Amino acid sequence: MTEPTEPPPHDEAHGGALGARLNWLRAAVLGANDGIVSTAGLVVGVAGATDSRSALLTAGLAGLLAGSMSMATGEYVSVSTQRDSEMAALALEKRELREQPEAELRELTGMLQERGLSHDVAREAAEQLTARDALRAHARVELGIDPDELTNPWHAASASFLAFTVGALLPLLAIVLPPPGWRLVVTVLSVLAALVLTGWSSARLGAARPGRAVLRNVGGGALAMAVTYAAGTLLGAAGV
């Protein structure tokens, strides 16, 4: 009988690394998209009330810093919670392996059977995986966790901060650099072009059709700018 083995380490690492890179890239695109839309809505709204370059710059910088810090903090808290849960699950599994090794071996055998192996093959595979690294085997098969690839909250927070900042810089620069008569046009066109790019990128990374994603992205950004500009214009006209 052929001995069951784990997938080749190189292939497993390659697949896991590719998936991780795609997830990070997708998160970066979405973070940049948030920076574009939120900052564009803010500066366009202010532009509806005033043409003061200093007011636009102040509002844009405030929105950029507040948004990027909010994104980073939220991501840090979320990923920290996920990491804590993963570490708690690993600690519990480690204790169960120490206190109830036979029961854990039967449990692993059952889970391998559920994946299509016969009882004898599943039992032999479970014994080999347990002998090699019991915690790793249970973490991957039972919990879906790779002990060597736990999420890092600092990496996630810094990536979110950077992605949002890069996205927010586009509408900020577009609203303050051109002359007053061109600011709104340049900003709207730049933002819509960027939203086409981020919508297409997010769809491609998710293996989805880009057409609808681009339309949703551009439509949402255009609506946000229209609403904030109308509100800014009304407030400016009222002298608020």
Side-chain angles (χ1 to χ4, degrees):
M1 181 172 56
T2 303
E3 292 186 356
T5 59
E6 289 183 293
H10 175 75
D11 293 343
E12 184 176 3
H14 178 74
L18 178 60
R21 285 196 296 270
L22 289 177
N23 286 335
W24 279 108
L25 188 55
R26 187 179 298 111
V29 170
L30 295 177
N33 193 81
D34 287 343
I36 293 169
V37 174
S38 60
T39 306
L42 177 61
V43 296
V44 167
V46 175
T50 179
D51 61 356
S52 169
R53 189 187 301 270
S54 61
L56 292 170
L57 180 60
T58 300
L61 283 175
L64 184 154
L65 292 174
S68 59
M69 291 300 297
S70 175
M71 286 282 292
T73 301
E75 194 71 10
Y76 178 82
V77 171
S78 174
V79 174
S80 293
T81 301
Q82 178 183 345
R83 184 182 178 89
D84 291 343
S85 298
E86 291 173 345
M87 293 181 68
L90 289 173
L92 176 60
E93 196 65 38
K94 186 175 182 179
R95 187 175 73 247
E96 291 177 344
L97 285 168
R98 183 177 63 251
E99 297 175 353
Q100 305 172 6
E102 285 301 322
E104 290 298 300
L105 181 60
R106 289 194 299 272
E107 182 181 36
L108 182 58
T109 300
M111 287 185 291
L112 292 175
Q113 281 187 267
E114 292 175 358
R115 298 189 176 192
L117 299 180
S118 67
H119 178 270
D120 291 340
V121 174
R123 177 72 181 193
E124 184 176 354
E127 290 174 348
Q128 291 186 21
L129 292 173
T130 299
R132 181 178 300 178
D133 191 329
L135 180 59
R136 183 184 302 277
H138 280 265
R140 290 181 173 178
V141 177
E142 180 180 352
L143 305 176
I145 298 174
D146 186 343
D148 296 328
E149 297 292 337
L150 296 181
T151 52
N152 188 313
W154 288 108
H155 290 172
S158 59
S160 294
F161 181 92
L162 181 61
F164 188 97
T165 300
V166 170
L169 281 174
L170 173 68
L172 175 58
L173 295 176
I175 203 73
V176 299
L177 292 182
W182 286 92
R183 285 175 184 165
L184 191 60
V185 174
V186 170
T187 301
V188 170
L189 292 180
S190 300
V191 166
L192 293 181
L195 292 178
V196 169
L197 178 59
T198 56
W200 181 87
S201 299
S202 62
R204 295 300 296 174
L205 289 171
R209 294 183 178 179
R212 291 183 179 180
V214 169
L215 288 176
R216 288 195 298 264
N217 213 32
V218 171
L223 179 61
M225 289 187 289
V227 170
T228 56
Y229 181 76
T233 301
L234 291 174
L235 292 173
V240 177

